[in-house]
Amino acid sequence: MNHERSRELYDRALSVAPGGVNSSVRAIQPYPFFVEKGDGGHVIDADGNRYLDFVMGYGPLLLGHDLPEQVQSAIQQRAAEGPMYGAPTEVEVELAEFVARHVPSVEMVRFVNSGTEATVSAVRLARGYTGRDKIVIMQGSYHGAQESTLVEGEGTHTSPSSPGIPESFAEHTITVPFNDEEYVEAVFEEHGDEIAAVLTEPILGNHGIVHPVEGYHDTLRDLCDDYGSLLIFDEVITGFRVGGPQCAQGKFGIEPDVTTFGKIVGGGFPVGAIGGRSEIIEQFTPAGEVFQSGTFSGHPVTMAAGLETLRYAAENDVWAQVNDLGAQMREGLTDIVANRAPEYTVVGSDSMFKVIFTRDGASGENHCGSGCRQRESCPSYDACPKNGADVDRAETERWERLFWPAMKEEGVFLTPNQFESQFVSAAHTEEDIEEALEAYKEAL
Ligand code: PLP
């Protein structure tokens, strides 16, 4: 493949943008390809190379790159009528109504502009509502570029994971291993009265796609109820992807107090949202006293894109379609991995999938990739990664330096970090999945 033009653009970018990119994950070595345009389930780069795209913007593009007519015209109409006004519009009410109608725990929604802004606001809300400072997060989770969750370490021994964050932020953050009930129970026994919230992704989506084992979320729910803390589900990835319009909380049958959204709910435009029970969400200004505000919040073009995307998905059985494709991908990968690299692990759920390189790691054998949560009935339960530490033993170097570039040369665009999920979209076809599986065969 020729990458001359991307190379030129990257050289230019390096002199005006730190690392040549606007989000650090995009800085693929030796240089990223620059995208010219999307086309259905593909992207085409500046040199005219065509890739099957399973990054899908890191998750927002449920429908892929060719938006249906009803979504396109809603976006164009909003943009043509003046892009934004600094005053409320009907479309933001309609999108909030859609979210509240479908997501079991949500009665009210505040829209913001990114997943990060949503989780920052949700943490502030929980602290304001409870009058407490501490939050509990999962090791290996990601909640955006925010001070309170960019921490490393275990339990109460945490420190900031980036320069520029005062130690005092990390002092309020306790990290626990995902799926370890005893650990989190012990944390609550000692600090329960100081904990404002447990913040967790329902499925760890930024760390190899790790599923909750049966009963784990119930334990978190019970602890939060017993100690008067809030349970916050970060559904920025899983929202309107896992579990369809009811989101992961619907799939798992757990009602968090607060949910953060992003990605799909904006139909491919910048978005975030915080939803939950009215009595909690109404703590936000101006109804309550927890400060929250934003020039671009509830942006009409984003709201129109999100609303029409979700309406289209609901009317056209899109979730069933992408989940079938996701299952086809995981089944195909499971066969390939079993033959070529049985120590690796296929993980995923609904329209999410990934192969992680677990040689010498937690898995030791392949498992089904279906996100089984059953302690009793799943034959590969022990082999399935349960938390960030399990996944951390995977071979990142091999994945990122050898496997990812090999897949790119095969014409398949995957998230370059081994721990981040891949996504199937409604623009992909069964033939696309077959083609991708052939590429996996070669690259593995
Ligand atoms: N929360 C989760 C679970 C995410 O995966 C992300 C981003 O990938 C965020 C929050 C932050 O969202 P954003 O990148 O829109 O700020």
Side-chain angles (χ1 to χ4, degrees), residues 333 337 344-347 353-357 399 418 422 440:
L333 287 175
V337 164
Y344 293 170
T345 304
V346 180
V347 288
F353 69 96
K354 192 93 186 184
V355 177
I356 47 175
F357 284 12
W399 203 99
Q418 122 145 291
Q422 258 97 225
Y440 268 99

Side-chain angles (χ1 to χ4, degrees), residues 112-387:
V112 292
N113 305 291
S114 69
T116 298
E117 206 185 331
T119 62
V120 167
S121 305
V123 168
R124 188 183 312 133
L125 179 68
R127 287 175 169 156
Y129 181 77
T130 59
R132 304 169 179 177
D133 288 340
K134 289 200 189 303
I135 58 164
V136 173
I137 64 170
M138 306 297 141
Q139 288 152 19
S141 63
Y142 178 66
H143 301 290
Q146 73 141 308
E147 267 60 5
S148 292
T149 58
L150 286 177
V151 303
E152 52 198 17
E154 197 181 313
T156 51
H157 304 288
T158 51
S159 53
S161 61
S162 163
I165 301 177
E167 287 286 339
S168 50
F169 276 96
E171 278 165 25
H172 296 304
T173 304
I174 303 173
T175 68
V176 299
F178 193 58
N179 279 331
D180 189 333
E181 286 163 20
E182 280 172 22
Y183 196 109
V184 71
E185 278 164 0
V187 162
F188 265 88
E189 259 167 44
E190 204 168 324
H191 299 282
D193 296 342
E194 305 159 78
I195 294 171
V198 174
L199 168 62
T200 183
E201 296 171 77
I203 293 175
L204 298 192
N206 292 284
H207 214 81
I209 316 180
V210 181
H211 289 78
V213 298
E214 204 182 11
Y216 184 64
H217 288 329
D218 300 280
T219 300
L220 297 181
R221 179 68 278 172
D222 290 348
L223 286 169
C224 286
D225 288 344
D226 290 350
Y227 286 89
S229 313
L230 297 188
L231 179 61
I232 307 175
F233 268 10
D234 181 353
E235 295 230 37
V236 167
I237 289 183
T238 54
F240 302 101
R241 178 173 296 282
V242 172
Q246 282 80 42
C247 308
Q249 58 193 266
K251 179 171 176 138
F252 295 140
I254 293 285
E255 292 207 6
D257 300 296
V258 173
T259 305
T260 54
F261 302 93
K263 302 198 192 268
I264 289 176
V265 79
F269 289 79
V271 79
I274 310 100
R277 287 203 308 282
S278 310
E279 88 170 286
I280 300 171
I281 302 297
E282 279 190 319
Q283 300 299 314
F284 277 140
T285 51
E289 292 183 355
V290 177
F291 185 76
Q292 207 293 313
S293 192
T295 300
F296 292 106
S297 296
H299 194 289
V301 178
T302 302
M303 297 293 105
L307 180 64
E308 289 308 324
T309 295
L310 294 177
R311 277 184 178 158
Y312 178 88
E315 286 157 11
N316 293 280
D317 240 355
V318 160
W319 287 288
Q321 182 193 339
V322 292
N323 292 353
D324 282 352
L325 291 172
Q328 186 190 334
M329 181 69 102
R330 288 188 299 276
E331 278 161 26
L333 287 175
T334 301
D335 283 349
I336 293 168
V337 164
N339 284 322
R340 294 186 182 230
E343 63 278 20
Y344 293 170
T345 304
V346 180
V347 288
S349 182
D350 300 61
S351 53
M352 297 165 72
F353 69 96
K354 192 93 186 184
V355 177
I356 47 175
F357 284 12
T358 39
R359 193 192 295 272
D360 298 322
S363 155
E365 64 179 79
N366 180 45
H367 85 106
C368 63
S370 65
C372 173
R373 304 162 64 229
Q374 311 296 320
R375 279 175 222 263
E376 307 300 328
S377 58
C378 176
S380 55
Y381 176 83
D382 288 338
C384 188
K386 308 286 186 312
N387 56 44

